[in-house]
């Protein structure tokens, strides 16, 4: 008995088992390659969709910013034109022409007629107050030939009245505020802020109606429209007896309303002053790069910037005193990120479903057009190996596999014919040897 252990010899694998194992390995290899290609294609497709959607959203942000600046341009033009229409209409009223002509013929410090002049000014202020309740303007005022405001009315919510006129009391010019109850005597008040600031601005031209964009010290901008009040003299000559002015204030509430309509954040900054609106600071580089736009332009030019907090566009508006204001429209990245997150949450299950569908259909396709024909071909090859007829019908199989089957069948016939020829020769040799 041998003390060493003899090596265990592996049992030979039967030919049919080898065929089955080989068929399984081929199928596994092909399926693995198919699945890997589908997964890679889905990953690339998802990445491509993400890039395309990011680009589309960037273009959408640019369109929204362009729309915000265009809407701002249109709104500024609308407010300017509305002011001009209203001051032209008021300047043409006969009663206003008569009163201003009467005021122009007297000085405020004349003892005779001063009370009558004040009554006329109060009548103008009451009329302006009735007008402004129907309009969207912040202030309407009537001025004499020296551009002094002699009567005004301001927009005020609720039932309160904010109207008055300038009068001379004790040798000093004061503002007399009217009450809603006309029986109460007017009381002196401080000159309204807007009138005080506008009085320091250059007087509007005395010719045709005109409008200007004027900066205020607090950073706001007002649109001022002025129209001359003319009186036609008996000889046909035209005499200017005063002017009517109206202003609209561009402030944060105006920007908020516009921004809500355009889904963008809008701000502006007069050079040297604080910014008003969503962006509390506009960089100098952005301000210098901003092109000038004219109110009313449908597609105003603007400078485009991609920033850390989103995308922004900048455009410049020229003001009356040589200064300018930079308007900024911003589309925040938080909006873009939320939209992209929603898209990714939607596209992920779609890609997974599409991948499963492609894998299922692909497996059925491979099994029907590749694995099954290969299995039949391998069975036929096994028949040839066992010496049986191949028994493979090329019809209904892919062309390549059918051609391979015909080649194998032809090779098998050739081998059989040669074997038959060799047997005949061998038999002939044995017959000759026996003779």
């Amino acid at each position: 008995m041998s003390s060493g252990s003899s090596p265990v010899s592996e049992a030979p694998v039967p030919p049919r088992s080898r065929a089955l194992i080989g068929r399984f390995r081929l199928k596994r290899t092909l399926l693995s390659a198919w699945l890997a290609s589908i997964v890679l294609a889905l990953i690339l497709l998802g990445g491509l969709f993400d890039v395309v959607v990011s680009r589309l959203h960037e273009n959408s942000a640019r369109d929204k910013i362009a729309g915000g600046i265009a809407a701002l341009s249109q709104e500024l033009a609308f407010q300017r034109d509305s002011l001009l229409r209203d001051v032209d209409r008021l300047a043409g009223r006969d009663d206003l022409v008569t009163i201003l002509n009467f005021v122009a013929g007297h000085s405020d410090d004349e003892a005779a007629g001063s009370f009558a002049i004040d009554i006329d000014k109060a009548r103008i202020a009451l009329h302006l107050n009735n007008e402004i309740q129907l309009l969207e303007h912040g202030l309407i005022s009537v001025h004499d030939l020296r551009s002094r405001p002699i009567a005004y009315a301001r927009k005020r919510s609720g039932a309160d009245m904010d109207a008055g006129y300038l009068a001379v009391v004790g040798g000093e010019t004061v503002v007399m505020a009217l009450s809603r109850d006309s029986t109460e005597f007017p009381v002196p008040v401080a000159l309204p802020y807007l009138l005080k600031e506008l009085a320091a601005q250059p007087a509007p031209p005395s010719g045709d109606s005109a409008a200007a964009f004027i900066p205020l010290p607090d950073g706001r901008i007002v649109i001022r429209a002025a129209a001359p009040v003319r009186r036609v003299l008996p000889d046909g000559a035209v005499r200017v007896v005063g002017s009517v002015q109206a202003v609209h204030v561009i402030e944060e509430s105006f920007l908020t309303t516009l921004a809500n309509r355009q889904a963008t954040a809008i701000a502006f900054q007069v050079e040297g002053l604080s910014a008003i609106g969503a962006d509390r600071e506009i960089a100098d580089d952005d301000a210098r790069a901003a092109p000038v736009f004219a109110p009313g332009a449908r597609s105003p030019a603007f400078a485009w910037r991609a920033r850390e907090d989103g995308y922004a566009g900048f455009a410049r508006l020229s003001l009356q005193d040589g200064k300018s204001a930079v308007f900024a429209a911003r589309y925040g990245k938080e909006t873009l990120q939320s939209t992209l997150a929603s898209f990714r949450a939607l596209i992920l299950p779609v890609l997974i479903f599409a991948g499963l569908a492609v894998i299922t259909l692909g497996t059925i396709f491979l099994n029907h057009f590749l694995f099954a024909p290969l299995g039949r071909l391998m069975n036929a090859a096994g028949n040839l190996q066992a010496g049986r007829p191949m028994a493979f019908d090329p019809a209904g199989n892919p062309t390549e596999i059918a051609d391979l089957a015909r080649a194998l069948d032809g090779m098998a016939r050739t081998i059989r014919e040669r074997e038959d020829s060799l047997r005949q020769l061998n038999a002939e040799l044995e017959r000759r040897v026996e003779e």
Side-chain angles (χ1 to χ4, degrees), residues 23-77:
R23 187 186 310 173
F24 173 76
R25 289 176 178 171
L26 176 63
K27 190 172 183 178
R28 183 182 63 184
T29 302
L30 290 175
L31 281 177
S32 299
W34 168 254
L35 292 175
S37 63
I38 292 299
V39 172
L40 180 61
L42 290 177
I43 292 175
L44 293 176
L45 187 61
L48 178 63
F49 277 162
D50 199 51
V51 171
V52 170
V53 171
S54 298
R55 178 64 63 180
L56 289 176
H57 277 77
E58 181 177 340
N59 293 337
S60 175
R62 191 183 187 96
D63 292 340
K64 286 184 178 295
I65 289 173
I69 294 178
L72 172 68
S73 171
Q74 296 292 317
E75 187 66 23
L76 291 177

Tab-separated table of all heavy atoms in Angstrom, residues 23-77:
chain	number	residue	atom	x	y	z
A	23	ARG	N	-22.523	27.124	-24.093
A	23	ARG	CA	-23.663	27.927	-24.469
A	23	ARG	C	-24.031	28.898	-23.344
A	23	ARG	O	-24.348	30.067	-23.581
A	23	ARG	CB	-24.844	27.019	-24.783
A	23	ARG	CG	-26.039	27.746	-25.355
A	23	ARG	CD	-27.219	26.824	-25.498
A	23	ARG	NE	-26.863	25.595	-26.179
A	23	ARG	CZ	-27.698	24.546	-26.308
A	23	ARG	NH1	-28.906	24.604	-25.784
A	23	ARG	NH2	-27.299	23.463	-26.937
A	24	PHE	N	-23.958	28.443	-22.078
A	24	PHE	CA	-24.281	29.298	-20.943
A	24	PHE	C	-23.268	30.440	-20.829
A	24	PHE	O	-23.635	31.591	-20.583
A	24	PHE	CB	-24.300	28.474	-19.663
A	24	PHE	CG	-24.461	29.307	-18.425
A	24	PHE	CD1	-25.697	29.838	-18.096
A	24	PHE	CD2	-23.369	29.568	-17.604
A	24	PHE	CE1	-25.838	30.607	-16.968
A	24	PHE	CE2	-23.521	30.332	-16.472
A	24	PHE	CZ	-24.756	30.851	-16.151
A	25	ARG	N	-21.998	30.129	-21.008
A	25	ARG	CA	-20.977	31.178	-20.922
A	25	ARG	C	-21.147	32.213	-22.018
A	25	ARG	O	-21.009	33.421	-21.787
A	25	ARG	CB	-19.590	30.553	-21.012
A	25	ARG	CG	-19.204	29.767	-19.764
A	25	ARG	CD	-17.874	29.088	-19.943
A	25	ARG	NE	-17.482	28.371	-18.725
A	25	ARG	CZ	-16.436	27.545	-18.655
A	25	ARG	NH1	-15.692	27.348	-19.752
A	25	ARG	NH2	-16.142	26.951	-17.527
A	26	LEU	N	-21.455	31.767	-23.225
A	26	LEU	CA	-21.677	32.701	-24.312
A	26	LEU	C	-22.879	33.597	-24.033
A	26	LEU	O	-22.833	34.820	-24.232
A	26	LEU	CB	-21.893	31.929	-25.618
A	26	LEU	CG	-22.241	32.773	-26.854
A	26	LEU	CD1	-21.086	33.719	-27.171
A	26	LEU	CD2	-22.540	31.879	-28.049
A	27	LYS	N	-23.963	32.975	-23.554
A	27	LYS	CA	-25.164	33.739	-23.253
A	27	LYS	C	-24.898	34.742	-22.140
A	27	LYS	O	-25.327	35.908	-22.204
A	27	LYS	CB	-26.282	32.786	-22.857
A	27	LYS	CG	-27.647	33.446	-22.741
A	27	LYS	CD	-28.711	32.397	-22.529
A	27	LYS	CE	-30.106	33.026	-22.490
A	27	LYS	NZ	-31.158	31.991	-22.318
A	28	ARG	N	-24.160	34.310	-21.106
A	28	ARG	CA	-23.848	35.213	-20.011
A	28	ARG	C	-22.971	36.371	-20.475
A	28	ARG	O	-23.182	37.529	-20.094
A	28	ARG	CB	-23.145	34.431	-18.904
A	28	ARG	CG	-22.829	35.266	-17.659
A	28	ARG	CD	-22.094	34.438	-16.637
A	28	ARG	NE	-20.805	33.997	-17.187
A	28	ARG	CZ	-19.968	33.185	-16.546
A	28	ARG	NH1	-20.299	32.713	-15.350
A	28	ARG	NH2	-18.833	32.828	-17.100
A	29	THR	N	-22.007	36.068	-21.342
A	29	THR	CA	-21.128	37.120	-21.844
A	29	THR	C	-21.893	38.145	-22.673
A	29	THR	O	-21.739	39.358	-22.507
A	29	THR	CB	-20.003	36.503	-22.682
A	29	THR	OG1	-19.277	35.566	-21.872
A	29	THR	CG2	-19.055	37.588	-23.180
A	30	LEU	N	-22.758	37.629	-23.560
A	30	LEU	CA	-23.523	38.535	-24.404
A	30	LEU	C	-24.506	39.372	-23.586
A	30	LEU	O	-24.663	40.575	-23.821
A	30	LEU	CB	-24.264	37.740	-25.480
A	30	LEU	CG	-23.378	37.114	-26.568
A	30	LEU	CD1	-24.220	36.262	-27.495
A	30	LEU	CD2	-22.652	38.193	-27.354
A	31	LEU	N	-25.179	38.737	-22.632
A	31	LEU	CA	-26.106	39.477	-21.790
A	31	LEU	C	-25.383	40.525	-20.950
A	31	LEU	O	-25.874	41.649	-20.764
A	31	LEU	CB	-26.890	38.528	-20.895
A	31	LEU	CG	-28.065	37.792	-21.537
A	31	LEU	CD1	-28.696	36.838	-20.552
A	31	LEU	CD2	-29.105	38.787	-22.047
A	32	SER	N	-24.218	40.157	-20.410
A	32	SER	CA	-23.448	41.121	-19.615
A	32	SER	C	-23.036	42.319	-20.463
A	32	SER	O	-23.148	43.476	-20.033
A	32	SER	CB	-22.211	40.438	-19.026
A	32	SER	OG	-22.590	39.379	-18.169
A	33	ALA	N	-22.569	42.041	-21.674
A	33	ALA	CA	-22.194	43.142	-22.563
A	33	ALA	C	-23.410	43.993	-22.921
A	33	ALA	O	-23.331	45.227	-22.983
A	33	ALA	CB	-21.551	42.582	-23.831
A	34	TRP	N	-24.552	43.344	-23.138
A	34	TRP	CA	-25.780	44.078	-23.469
A	34	TRP	C	-26.220	44.963	-22.308
A	34	TRP	O	-26.524	46.136	-22.489
A	34	TRP	CB	-26.864	43.058	-23.844
A	34	TRP	CG	-28.250	43.634	-23.939
A	34	TRP	CD1	-29.251	43.469	-23.065
A	34	TRP	CD2	-28.763	44.461	-24.975
A	34	TRP	NE1	-30.374	44.137	-23.469
A	34	TRP	CE2	-30.099	44.761	-24.659
A	34	TRP	CE3	-28.230	44.995	-26.149
A	34	TRP	CZ2	-30.892	45.554	-25.449
A	34	TRP	CZ3	-29.029	45.788	-26.943
A	34	TRP	CH2	-30.345	46.051	-26.601
A	35	LEU	N	-26.235	44.394	-21.095
A	35	LEU	CA	-26.638	45.176	-19.931
A	35	LEU	C	-25.674	46.327	-19.676
A	35	LEU	O	-26.094	47.447	-19.350
A	35	LEU	CB	-26.724	44.269	-18.701
A	35	LEU	CG	-27.848	43.231	-18.705
A	35	LEU	CD1	-27.737	42.332	-17.478
A	35	LEU	CD2	-29.197	43.911	-18.723
A	36	ALA	N	-24.374	46.068	-19.805
A	36	ALA	CA	-23.392	47.128	-19.578
A	36	ALA	C	-23.569	48.269	-20.578
A	36	ALA	O	-23.489	49.452	-20.222
A	36	ALA	CB	-21.980	46.560	-19.665
A	37	SER	N	-23.816	47.918	-21.841
A	37	SER	CA	-24.011	48.959	-22.849
A	37	SER	C	-25.278	49.765	-22.577
A	37	SER	O	-25.305	50.987	-22.754
A	37	SER	CB	-24.067	48.332	-24.244
A	37	SER	OG	-25.177	47.451	-24.352
A	38	ILE	N	-26.366	49.097	-22.114
A	38	ILE	CA	-27.605	49.814	-21.808
A	38	ILE	C	-27.402	50.753	-20.630
A	38	ILE	O	-27.835	51.915	-20.659
A	38	ILE	CB	-28.739	48.822	-21.516
A	38	ILE	CG1	-29.114	48.053	-22.780
A	38	ILE	CG2	-29.961	49.542	-20.970
A	38	ILE	CD1	-29.617	48.938	-23.899
A	39	VAL	N	-26.755	50.272	-19.565
A	39	VAL	CA	-26.508	51.125	-18.395
A	39	VAL	C	-25.648	52.321	-18.776
A	39	VAL	O	-25.928	53.463	-18.384
A	39	VAL	CB	-25.853	50.297	-17.275
A	39	VAL	CG1	-25.402	51.210	-16.135
A	39	VAL	CG2	-26.826	49.249	-16.740
A	40	LEU	N	-24.579	52.072	-19.566
A	40	LEU	CA	-23.712	53.169	-19.996
A	40	LEU	C	-24.488	54.168	-20.850
A	40	LEU	O	-24.341	55.385	-20.694
A	40	LEU	CB	-22.521	52.619	-20.770
A	40	LEU	CG	-21.518	53.655	-21.291
A	40	LEU	CD1	-20.910	54.432	-20.129
A	40	LEU	CD2	-20.424	52.974	-22.111
A	41	ALA	N	-25.342	53.655	-21.742
A	41	ALA	CA	-26.139	54.541	-22.593
A	41	ALA	C	-27.106	55.380	-21.758
A	41	ALA	O	-27.298	56.574	-22.021
A	41	ALA	CB	-26.900	53.730	-23.633
A	42	LEU	N	-27.714	54.766	-20.737
A	42	LEU	CA	-28.637	55.515	-19.882
A	42	LEU	C	-27.901	56.590	-19.085
A	42	LEU	O	-28.411	57.707	-18.905
A	42	LEU	CB	-29.367	54.565	-18.938
A	42	LEU	CG	-30.389	53.617	-19.586
A	42	LEU	CD1	-30.968	52.683	-18.553
A	42	LEU	CD2	-31.510	54.415	-20.251
A	43	ILE	N	-26.706	56.259	-18.596
A	43	ILE	CA	-25.925	57.250	-17.855
A	43	ILE	C	-25.556	58.427	-18.760
A	43	ILE	O	-25.701	59.599	-18.391
A	43	ILE	CB	-24.667	56.597	-17.260
A	43	ILE	CG1	-25.061	55.592	-16.164
A	43	ILE	CG2	-23.729	57.664	-16.694
A	43	ILE	CD1	-23.901	54.809	-15.610
A	44	LEU	N	-25.086	58.112	-19.970
A	44	LEU	CA	-24.745	59.176	-20.914
A	44	LEU	C	-25.972	59.983	-21.305
A	44	LEU	O	-25.913	61.215	-21.420
A	44	LEU	CB	-24.085	58.569	-22.165
A	44	LEU	CG	-22.710	57.928	-21.959
A	44	LEU	CD1	-22.225	57.294	-23.255
A	44	LEU	CD2	-21.706	58.962	-21.471
A	45	LEU	N	-27.099	59.297	-21.490
A	45	LEU	CA	-28.323	59.992	-21.851
A	45	LEU	C	-28.792	60.913	-20.723
A	45	LEU	O	-29.214	62.048	-20.962
A	45	LEU	CB	-29.411	58.976	-22.187
A	45	LEU	CG	-30.730	59.539	-22.743
A	45	LEU	CD1	-30.477	60.266	-24.055
A	45	LEU	CD2	-31.742	58.421	-22.945
A	46	GLY	N	-28.715	60.410	-19.475
A	46	GLY	CA	-29.083	61.255	-18.344
A	46	GLY	C	-28.188	62.474	-18.229
A	46	GLY	O	-28.662	63.585	-17.979
A	47	GLY	N	-26.866	62.272	-18.411
A	47	GLY	CA	-25.949	63.410	-18.372
A	47	GLY	C	-26.216	64.401	-19.488
A	47	GLY	O	-26.165	65.610	-19.291
A	48	LEU	N	-26.519	63.863	-20.693
A	48	LEU	CA	-26.829	64.743	-21.811
A	48	LEU	C	-28.095	65.533	-21.546
A	48	LEU	O	-28.157	66.752	-21.798
A	48	LEU	CB	-26.980	63.910	-23.087
A	48	LEU	CG	-27.356	64.682	-24.360
A	48	LEU	CD1	-26.262	65.679	-24.712
A	48	LEU	CD2	-27.582	63.716	-25.524
A	49	PHE	N	-29.125	64.872	-21.022
A	49	PHE	CA	-30.363	65.574	-20.680
A	49	PHE	C	-30.099	66.668	-19.646
A	49	PHE	O	-30.653	67.769	-19.733
A	49	PHE	CB	-31.400	64.593	-20.134
A	49	PHE	CG	-32.167	63.876	-21.211
A	49	PHE	CD1	-32.856	62.715	-20.929
A	49	PHE	CD2	-32.206	64.367	-22.491
A	49	PHE	CE1	-33.561	62.051	-21.919
A	49	PHE	CE2	-32.906	63.717	-23.491
A	49	PHE	CZ	-33.581	62.557	-23.207
A	50	ASP	N	-29.261	66.365	-18.659
A	50	ASP	CA	-28.968	67.349	-17.616
A	50	ASP	C	-28.282	68.574	-18.208
A	50	ASP	O	-28.610	69.714	-17.868
A	50	ASP	CB	-28.084	66.699	-16.556
A	50	ASP	CG	-28.114	67.469	-15.249
A	50	ASP	OD1	-29.213	67.759	-14.754
A	50	ASP	OD2	-27.028	67.766	-14.727
A	51	VAL	N	-27.319	68.346	-19.114
A	51	VAL	CA	-26.619	69.469	-19.746
A	51	VAL	C	-27.582	70.278	-20.608
A	51	VAL	O	-27.593	71.512	-20.569
A	51	VAL	CB	-25.439	68.953	-20.592
A	51	VAL	CG1	-24.839	70.083	-21.420
A	51	VAL	CG2	-24.376	68.341	-19.692
A	52	VAL	N	-28.412	69.556	-21.387
A	52	VAL	CA	-29.362	70.250	-22.264
A	52	VAL	C	-30.360	71.061	-21.449
A	52	VAL	O	-30.646	72.224	-21.760
A	52	VAL	CB	-30.083	69.234	-23.174
A	52	VAL	CG1	-31.240	69.899	-23.908
A	52	VAL	CG2	-29.108	68.635	-24.167
A	53	VAL	N	-30.876	70.461	-20.371
A	53	VAL	CA	-31.862	71.172	-19.558
A	53	VAL	C	-31.210	72.365	-18.852
A	53	VAL	O	-31.818	73.433	-18.737
A	53	VAL	CB	-32.508	70.212	-18.542
A	53	VAL	CG1	-33.358	70.969	-17.542
A	53	VAL	CG2	-33.358	69.193	-19.273
A	54	SER	N	-29.976	72.210	-18.394
A	54	SER	CA	-29.271	73.343	-17.778
A	54	SER	C	-29.100	74.483	-18.777
A	54	SER	O	-29.301	75.654	-18.444
A	54	SER	CB	-27.904	72.892	-17.254
A	54	SER	OG	-28.048	71.903	-16.257
A	55	ARG	N	-28.753	74.111	-20.006
A	55	ARG	CA	-28.606	75.142	-21.026
A	55	ARG	C	-29.940	75.806	-21.349
A	55	ARG	O	-30.026	77.031	-21.516
A	55	ARG	CB	-28.012	74.513	-22.290
A	55	ARG	CG	-27.841	75.477	-23.455
A	55	ARG	CD	-26.842	76.565	-23.139
A	55	ARG	NE	-25.520	76.028	-22.909
A	55	ARG	CZ	-24.459	76.756	-22.616
A	55	ARG	NH1	-24.603	78.071	-22.502
A	55	ARG	NH2	-23.278	76.195	-22.409
A	56	LEU	N	-30.988	74.997	-21.422
A	56	LEU	CA	-32.315	75.547	-21.695
A	56	LEU	C	-32.760	76.481	-20.568
A	56	LEU	O	-33.353	77.539	-20.821
A	56	LEU	CB	-33.325	74.412	-21.873
A	56	LEU	CG	-33.191	73.599	-23.158
A	56	LEU	CD1	-34.193	72.454	-23.158
A	56	LEU	CD2	-33.395	74.464	-24.395
A	57	HIS	N	-32.458	76.090	-19.321
A	57	HIS	CA	-32.847	76.947	-18.205
A	57	HIS	C	-32.011	78.231	-18.178
A	57	HIS	O	-32.521	79.292	-17.793
A	57	HIS	CB	-32.710	76.183	-16.887
A	57	HIS	CG	-33.887	75.324	-16.574
A	57	HIS	ND1	-34.116	74.124	-17.186
A	57	HIS	CD2	-34.938	75.513	-15.743
A	57	HIS	CE1	-35.240	73.598	-16.724
A	57	HIS	NE2	-35.753	74.418	-15.851
A	58	GLU	N	-30.752	78.144	-18.580
A	58	GLU	CA	-29.949	79.364	-18.667
A	58	GLU	C	-30.529	80.290	-19.729
A	58	GLU	O	-30.622	81.511	-19.521
A	58	GLU	CB	-28.506	79.011	-19.000
A	58	GLU	CG	-27.592	80.226	-19.082
A	58	GLU	CD	-26.154	79.852	-19.339
A	58	GLU	OE1	-25.789	78.690	-19.089
A	58	GLU	OE2	-25.393	80.721	-19.804
A	59	ASN	N	-30.913	79.718	-20.877
A	59	ASN	CA	-31.552	80.538	-21.909
A	59	ASN	C	-32.888	81.092	-21.414
A	59	ASN	O	-33.258	82.228	-21.733
A	59	ASN	CB	-31.762	79.710	-23.176
A	59	ASN	CG	-30.452	79.335	-23.846
A	59	ASN	OD1	-29.434	79.989	-23.647
A	59	ASN	ND2	-30.462	78.270	-24.626
A	60	SER	N	-33.610	80.267	-20.632
A	60	SER	CA	-34.871	80.745	-20.073
A	60	SER	C	-34.625	81.904	-19.106
A	60	SER	O	-35.380	82.887	-19.091
A	60	SER	CB	-35.589	79.605	-19.356
A	60	SER	OG	-36.758	80.062	-18.721
A	61	ALA	N	-33.556	81.786	-18.293
A	61	ALA	CA	-33.211	82.885	-17.380
A	61	ALA	C	-32.868	84.144	-18.161
A	61	ALA	O	-33.273	85.250	-17.788
A	61	ALA	CB	-32.041	82.470	-16.486
A	62	ARG	N	-32.130	83.973	-19.256
A	62	ARG	CA	-31.791	85.140	-20.084
A	62	ARG	C	-33.054	85.766	-20.670
A	62	ARG	O	-33.188	86.996	-20.707
A	62	ARG	CB	-30.835	84.722	-21.196
A	62	ARG	CG	-30.219	85.898	-21.955
A	62	ARG	CD	-29.337	85.411	-23.087
A	62	ARG	NE	-28.625	86.515	-23.701
A	62	ARG	CZ	-27.394	86.885	-23.408
A	62	ARG	NH1	-26.720	86.217	-22.485
A	62	ARG	NH2	-26.819	87.899	-24.008
A	63	ASP	N	-33.980	84.914	-21.124
A	63	ASP	CA	-35.236	85.439	-21.686
A	63	ASP	C	-36.048	86.172	-20.621
A	63	ASP	O	-36.656	87.216	-20.898
A	63	ASP	CB	-36.055	84.298	-22.288
A	63	ASP	CG	-35.406	83.710	-23.532
A	63	ASP	OD1	-34.556	84.397	-24.135
A	63	ASP	OD2	-35.732	82.563	-23.888
A	64	LYS	N	-36.076	85.616	-19.396
A	64	LYS	CA	-36.830	86.272	-18.329
A	64	LYS	C	-36.214	87.618	-17.965
A	64	LYS	O	-36.921	88.600	-17.711
A	64	LYS	CB	-36.904	85.359	-17.108
A	64	LYS	CG	-37.863	84.193	-17.265
A	64	LYS	CD	-37.967	83.394	-15.986
A	64	LYS	CE	-38.974	82.258	-16.154
A	64	LYS	NZ	-40.345	82.785	-16.358
A	65	ILE	N	-34.881	87.659	-17.926
A	65	ILE	CA	-34.214	88.928	-17.622
A	65	ILE	C	-34.468	89.938	-18.740
A	65	ILE	O	-34.749	91.116	-18.485
A	65	ILE	CB	-32.712	88.689	-17.404
A	65	ILE	CG1	-32.501	87.953	-16.065
A	65	ILE	CG2	-31.932	89.994	-17.426
A	65	ILE	CD1	-31.083	87.531	-15.826
A	66	ALA	N	-34.369	89.473	-19.984
A	66	ALA	CA	-34.667	90.366	-21.113
A	66	ALA	C	-36.113	90.847	-21.040
A	66	ALA	O	-36.410	92.027	-21.295
A	66	ALA	CB	-34.407	89.651	-22.439
A	67	GLY	N	-37.016	89.929	-20.669
A	67	GLY	CA	-38.410	90.321	-20.519
A	67	GLY	C	-38.616	91.309	-19.387
A	67	GLY	O	-39.430	92.234	-19.493
A	68	GLY	N	-37.874	91.122	-18.281
A	68	GLY	CA	-37.987	92.054	-17.159
A	68	GLY	C	-37.514	93.456	-17.528
A	68	GLY	O	-38.169	94.453	-17.201
A	69	ILE	N	-36.375	93.549	-18.245
A	69	ILE	CA	-35.870	94.864	-18.637
A	69	ILE	C	-36.782	95.490	-19.699
A	69	ILE	O	-37.031	96.703	-19.682
A	69	ILE	CB	-34.426	94.734	-19.151
A	69	ILE	CG1	-33.507	94.289	-17.979
A	69	ILE	CG2	-33.928	96.038	-19.752
A	69	ILE	CD1	-32.072	94.088	-18.371
A	70	ALA	N	-37.293	94.667	-20.622
A	70	ALA	CA	-38.223	95.194	-21.623
A	70	ALA	C	-39.511	95.685	-20.962
A	70	ALA	O	-40.047	96.749	-21.327
A	70	ALA	CB	-38.535	94.121	-22.659
A	71	ALA	N	-40.014	94.929	-19.980
A	71	ALA	CA	-41.217	95.372	-19.265
A	71	ALA	C	-40.958	96.660	-18.499
A	71	ALA	O	-41.824	97.547	-18.432
A	71	ALA	CB	-41.686	94.275	-18.308
A	72	LEU	N	-39.761	96.773	-17.910
A	72	LEU	CA	-39.395	98.021	-17.225
A	72	LEU	C	-39.383	99.187	-18.210
A	72	LEU	O	-39.915	100.263	-17.919
A	72	LEU	CB	-38.032	97.852	-16.570
A	72	LEU	CG	-37.410	99.105	-15.961
A	72	LEU	CD1	-38.206	99.560	-14.752
A	72	LEU	CD2	-35.966	98.853	-15.577
A	73	SER	N	-38.788	98.972	-19.375
A	73	SER	CA	-38.740	100.014	-20.388
A	73	SER	C	-40.147	100.425	-20.818
A	73	SER	O	-40.453	101.626	-20.929
A	73	SER	CB	-37.940	99.522	-21.599
A	73	SER	OG	-38.032	100.422	-22.680
A	74	GLN	N	-41.010	99.437	-21.040
A	74	GLN	CA	-42.378	99.736	-21.445
A	74	GLN	C	-43.151	100.457	-20.336
A	74	GLN	O	-43.923	101.382	-20.605
A	74	GLN	CB	-43.093	98.441	-21.832
A	74	GLN	CG	-42.510	97.729	-23.036
A	74	GLN	CD	-42.716	98.505	-24.314
A	74	GLN	OE1	-43.785	99.043	-24.557
A	74	GLN	NE2	-41.679	98.583	-25.131
A	75	GLU	N	-42.941	100.033	-19.094
A	75	GLU	CA	-43.668	100.643	-17.980
A	75	GLU	C	-43.218	102.088	-17.767
A	75	GLU	O	-44.049	102.978	-17.498
A	75	GLU	CB	-43.436	99.823	-16.708
A	75	GLU	CG	-44.268	100.258	-15.522
A	75	GLU	CD	-45.752	100.020	-15.720
A	75	GLU	OE1	-46.105	99.154	-16.541
A	75	GLU	OE2	-46.552	100.718	-15.060
A	76	LEU	N	-41.921	102.342	-17.876
A	76	LEU	CA	-41.439	103.718	-17.747
A	76	LEU	C	-42.024	104.602	-18.842
A	76	LEU	O	-42.431	105.747	-18.585
A	76	LEU	CB	-39.908	103.749	-17.800
A	76	LEU	CG	-39.168	103.133	-16.608
A	76	LEU	CD1	-37.664	103.166	-16.848
A	76	LEU	CD2	-39.512	103.845	-15.309
A	77	ALA	N	-42.067	104.084	-20.058
A	77	ALA	CA	-42.643	104.857	-21.160
A	77	ALA	C	-44.140	105.076	-20.945
A	77	ALA	O	-44.662	106.168	-21.232
A	77	ALA	CB	-42.394	104.135	-22.485
